[in-house]
Amino acid sequence: MREKVVIFTGAGISAESGLRTFRDMGGYWHQYRLEDVASPAGWKANPEAVLNFYNERRKAVLEARPNAAHLALAALEEFFEVVVVTQNIDDLHERAGSSHVIHVHGEILKARSTADRSLVYPLTTPELALGDRCELGSQLRPDVVWFGEEVRFIGEAARHFAAATKILAIGTSLSVYPAAALVDEARHSAEKYLVAPEAESVPYGYRFICGNAASVVPHVVKCWTEGRKPC
Ligand code: APR
């Protein structure tokens, strides 16, 4: 039975792939009101503005490439059972080669019916427009979790955290619940790290490693594959 490693990622791991974060300078929530573009009320009030917000982000995702952090995490699967729990809606972990990725906030490259949430369609074009309808004739929306909606797979993700011997949280401000509370599901005995260039608060029992994902994560992965703790 191989050791289980849980990787918990936020927008920061994709920053060096050119995708914007939310709360850093230049982040999305400095340009948009999240109520307008990432909530059911915003969708009701102006669905076109919401579709345009995600179309812009989807175009950026399709132009982005996985960076050294995504690639190092995929390589870690040769040595450990790796579960990636991500708050990100991009597919950079999958494109880097990670085979077990849990998207608790949904996926931008999928659309779903507004009449039946089980009807989900892969998006092959960057644009999703008003009038794009599901097989039942209802408008399609991005298959992402908006503020006020139920996050996904949170119980399954918590079980992985509780079973892990190593936890690596990368590029998240830990400011959005319930996802942020997952870090507290880890065992006391597990090795736990938070990687970011800055952190307002570090979860209890986690060691903060200051730096950017693309340089720090390959170092952590190298240490782990050599049976060492990152220095
Ligand atoms: N490498 C590592 N971390 C980075 C980098 C980098 N190159 N650049 C920025 N960061 C860190 C920032 O220091 C910050 O801690 O990434 C984090 C980004 O925080 P947020 O913008 O709040 O993103 P995130 O934590 O993913 O937000 C959680 O909020 O708006 C919702 O649904 C959205 O899933 C998102 C959730």
Side-chain angles (χ1 to χ4, degrees), residues 5-6 8 161 164-169 186 190-193 206 224:
V5 174
V6 164
F8 183 53
F161 270 81
T165 56
K166 298 179 182 347
I167 310 260
L168 185 59
E191 239 185 282
K192 303 181 280 290
Y193 305 93
Y206 283 69
W224 279 352

Side-chain angles (χ1 to χ4, degrees), residues 1-31:
M1 183 85 158
R2 295 199 295 176
E3 265 189 86
K4 176 176 284 193
V5 174
V6 164
I7 309 292
F8 183 53
T9 59
I13 194 172
S14 300
E16 288 155 281
S17 294
L19 299 184
R20 292 167 64 180
T21 63
F22 297 94
R23 296 172 181 83
D24 293 317
M25 285 316 290
Y28 281 113
W29 301 149
H30 293 283
Q31 180 186 353

Side-chain angles (χ1 to χ4, degrees), residues 23-25 172-173 194-201 208-212:
R23 296 172 181 83
D24 293 317
M25 285 316 290
T172 177
S173 62
L194 170 64
V195 174
E198 59 191 350
E200 261 173 43
S201 67
F208 177 59
I209 304 180
C210 181
N212 287 335

